[in-house]
Amino acid sequence: TTPDSIQRQVWDGKLPVCFVLPEDPDVPPLYSLVPRVGYFPALLDRLRAHLSRHAGIDEDSPGAQQLWLRSAGRPLRWHLPVGLLYDLERPKPPPLPWEVEIRTRDFPTDELVSFGPNNSLESYFLYCLKEADALKHRARVINEMGEREHRQLWQGLLNDQFDQFSVVNRKLMEGEAKYLPFRIYQQGADGGLSVLQCLAKPHREDSTPLTLSDLLRICLPNFTDPVTLATHGVSLPMETPLAWAYDKLAYPDNFLHLVLQPGRCNSAGDGESSAMQLDSSSES
């Protein structure tokens, strides 16, 4: 498997989602193949149009403007990528298609980011890119880009155009990184989310590659239970070099999002489209 094909498979991963409106069972569900690397708020206009057509909810009404989404009785933290949200339900993810509830009242302001004209999803995405580049290159690369390139990154992601996105993103991924941007997530039984982040260089002091196992020892030095790290629906071998995983499996926001789960590595995916076969011996 070539490096470019792995990155393309990551981009092409989709999740079948069934959007339902519990408050009105007469409204037909809306089915959609949602990009794993995308964000649920990017679908809000489509959801509003669906409710306007089938539920008589005006697209400009307060209910339509304050839509939010819920799964398994919990608000979906939609500032996180779709694939990460699904992986957080592992090791027992919801059956596919993933049923997601549309809610039109009682927006949980203490749990969700509200995206609107003054706080757009595009601005949030660009902020994440700047944060990642600050770790890698002291924000030099992203700051040297013009507004046109920033816009191209967003439009490429929004319109699911890999080539449009990657021709600019390649600049952010090239060069020697001081630290590798990553986050480790663990969702508790009560729905609470723990997020771990620390400074990790690509190599150990002896210049050998830092592995995922090393990363856990850095972030959780007293953690001894058998665990594995998953991303894009795949459990990764703990001997995987962190730099390889970052280069091939980082999300478009330039962060490697890893889900901590109990047990040892099981390389099988969870059945959604575009299952990947990963080979960390591939040359970069």
Side-chain angles (χ1 to χ4, degrees), residues 212-227:
L212 296 182
S213 182
D214 296 326
L215 183 65
L216 273 187
R217 282 194 289 270
I218 294 171
C219 294
L220 294 167
N222 300 318
F223 200 80
T224 58
D225 294 340
V227 294

Side-chain angles (χ1 to χ4, degrees), residues 18-22 68-73 99-103:
C18 172
F19 294 98
V20 298
L21 184 68
W68 56 285
L69 302 175
R70 189 169 72 172
S71 174
E99 184 171 294
V100 172
E101 297 178 0
I102 306 171
R103 313 298 295 187

Side-chain angles (χ1 to χ4, degrees), residues 9-74:
Q9 285 182 68
V10 166
W11 181 278
D12 287 341
K14 303 290 192 298
L15 280 166
V17 179
C18 172
F19 294 98
V20 298
L21 184 68
E23 63 195 61
D24 189 347
D26 292 331
V27 174
L30 175 65
Y31 290 90
S32 181
L33 273 178
V34 181
R36 262 186 159 271
V37 298
Y39 296 85
F40 276 125
L43 301 175
L44 283 177
D45 285 345
R46 185 179 174 193
L47 294 177
R48 291 186 184 111
H50 180 74
L51 295 184
S52 175
R53 186 180 308 114
H54 297 286
I57 299 176
D58 188 273
E59 294 184 40
D60 295 322
S61 68
Q65 290 302 311
Q66 285 294 301
L67 287 186
W68 56 285
L69 302 175
R70 189 169 72 172
S71 174
R74 296 190 295 264

